[in-house]
Amino acid sequence: MPNLKDLKNRINSVKSTRKITQAMQMVAAAKLRRAEESAEAARPYAERFNAVMAELASSVGDSDSAPKLLSGTGGDQTHLLVVLSAERGLCGGFNSSIVMIAKAAATKLLAEGKTVKILTVGKKGREQLRRDFSDHLVGHVDLSDVKRIGYANAQSVAEEVLTRFDAGDFDVAKIFYSEFESIISQKPTEKQIIPATFETPEDDVASTVYDYEPDETEILADLLPRGIATQIFTALLENAASEQGARMSAMDNATRNAGDMIDRLTIQYNRSRQAVITNELIEIISGAEAL
């Protein structure tokens, strides 16, 4: 059984840990509000942009004049997986859940005889993927110095992807990220960005007719790179909100667990202290009786 000094030191250590987790929880809560507001503000723009792009893509169809980003290379042998994760840990299973679906997709593609290349955005995802897929890692985008995600950060990732596509490095590209639903719920998501796919919102007015000048093909050629950057930007914002939500929840659980441990250690300390006092009283009484 540990002595009183060891128990006292352990109680103080857990109390210090609880102060840290409480502070991290409050910081995550403040960051979550900003990240959630940014993600929600970007959703209407992304949905409207996707609706216009879907209309343009349907007009062009599979014609020979369709941009390569829309029609693809004509094959699907080489796949680029863009894995978005956090630069820091202590956020529960946030990073692991994203890496898990990326690993599952990579394993499935390799089993089908496809070539897999992985581009990571975020240190934690890269660290986990390096264990099993180090031979497939082809690049990394470092956002550790970024305090708040902006469109320029998404453009840097999009430029990396588009440069590789123009060089013929891959046929299909997908991004993996976590979609923010609530503080306790973040949904790991897989989305194809090349060849570009755009979904029309259910509430979109189907009867709306647009006249485009110049023609749809030229507009698509100009807007598709921006569309890919917009999809990556939306994913980064969703990821940022999910990360802070997961961290807030994880730190709340850690604070509660630390409180429970302090209560148990305090009870053990009091019992040990009581036992020591009782033994001392017994020794005093025994000594008095001996006299």
Side-chain angles (χ1 to χ4, degrees):
M1 178 181 292
N3 57 39
L4 291 178
K5 184 178 179 181
D6 292 337
L7 287 172
K8 191 68 173 177
N9 289 339
R10 192 174 180 189
I11 290 172
N12 291 334
S13 175
V14 177
K15 284 182 178 179
S16 299
T17 302
R18 184 172 64 174
K19 289 180 181 179
I20 295 173
T21 57
Q22 284 177 331
M24 291 186 67
Q25 180 185 351
M26 289 187 290
V27 171
K31 290 183 177 180
L32 174 62
R33 284 193 292 271
R34 295 196 297 267
E36 188 177 1
E37 289 172 359
S38 298
E40 290 179 350
R43 285 173 187 168
Y45 171 79
E47 290 175 358
R48 190 65 242 168
F49 187 88
N50 286 341
V52 173
M53 295 298 290
E55 178 71 21
L56 285 166
S58 63
S59 300
V60 173
D62 298 328
S63 64
D64 296 335
S65 61
K68 194 176 178 181
L69 284 174
L70 182 63
S71 60
T73 61
D76 64 343
Q77 177 59 33
T78 305
H79 290 248
L80 177 68
L81 310 183
V82 184
V83 183
L84 312 182
S85 63
E87 295 288 347
R88 299 170 182 83
L90 297 177
C91 48
F94 167 75
N95 294 305
S96 298
S97 60
I98 298 173
V99 172
M100 188 181 300
I101 63 170
K103 283 184 176 181
T107 302
K108 181 180 178 182
L109 290 169
L110 291 172
E112 295 173 354
K114 308 293 185 182
T115 302
V116 174
K117 298 181 179 181
I118 301 176
L119 173 68
T120 55
V121 181
K123 182 175 67 175
K124 291 302 177 179
R126 183 176 181 82
E127 290 175 353
Q128 294 188 36
L129 287 166
R130 187 184 292 148
R131 300 169 192 168
D132 301 317
F133 296 91
S134 58
D135 295 337
H136 302 277
L137 297 174
V138 296
H140 176 68
V141 178
D142 185 9
L143 298 179
S144 57
D145 295 331
V146 177
K147 300 299 182 183
R148 190 170 184 178
I149 295 295
Y151 189 75
N153 305 122
Q155 280 184 315
S156 66
V157 179
E159 286 174 4
E160 175 81 13
V161 173
L162 292 172
T163 299
R164 292 179 179 276
F165 182 70
D166 293 337
D169 285 354
F170 64 88
D171 302 309
V172 179
K174 294 180 179 179
I175 55 174
F176 297 83
Y177 63 99
S178 186
E179 183 177 347
F180 180 78
E181 293 182 345
S182 67
I183 295 176
I184 59 173
S185 177
Q186 299 88 34
K187 180 182 177 183
T189 303
E190 172 186 343
K191 188 174 185 180
Q192 180 175 309
I193 56 174
I194 298 176
T197 58
F198 301 98
E199 297 179 359
T200 304
E202 296 179 357
D203 58 349
D204 192 37
V205 181
S207 59
T208 304
V209 178
Y210 297 96
D211 289 330
Y212 296 101
E213 230 178 86
D215 61 21
E216 291 89 339
T217 303
E218 292 184 36
I219 295 176
L220 272 175
D222 182 62
L223 288 184
L224 277 172
R226 301 185 191 182
I228 292 171
T230 299
Q231 289 180 321
I232 294 175
F233 181 50
T234 303
L236 286 172
L237 291 178
E238 294 284 345
N239 234 31
S242 297
E243 177 191 349
Q244 298 305 329
R247 180 170 289 113
M248 182 178 173
S249 180
M251 291 301 99
D252 179 59
N253 290 334
T255 301
R256 292 174 185 272
N257 292 337
D260 293 340
M261 183 176 290
I262 290 171
D263 292 340
R264 290 195 300 269
L265 290 173
T266 301
I267 292 173
Q268 186 178 356
Y269 174 82
N270 290 336
R271 287 177 177 173
S272 298
R273 185 167 176 270
Q274 186 178 12
V276 170
I277 294 173
T278 302
N279 289 333
E280 290 178 352
L281 289 174
I282 291 174
E283 291 176 358
I284 292 172
I285 293 172
S286 299
E289 289 179 352
L291 295 175

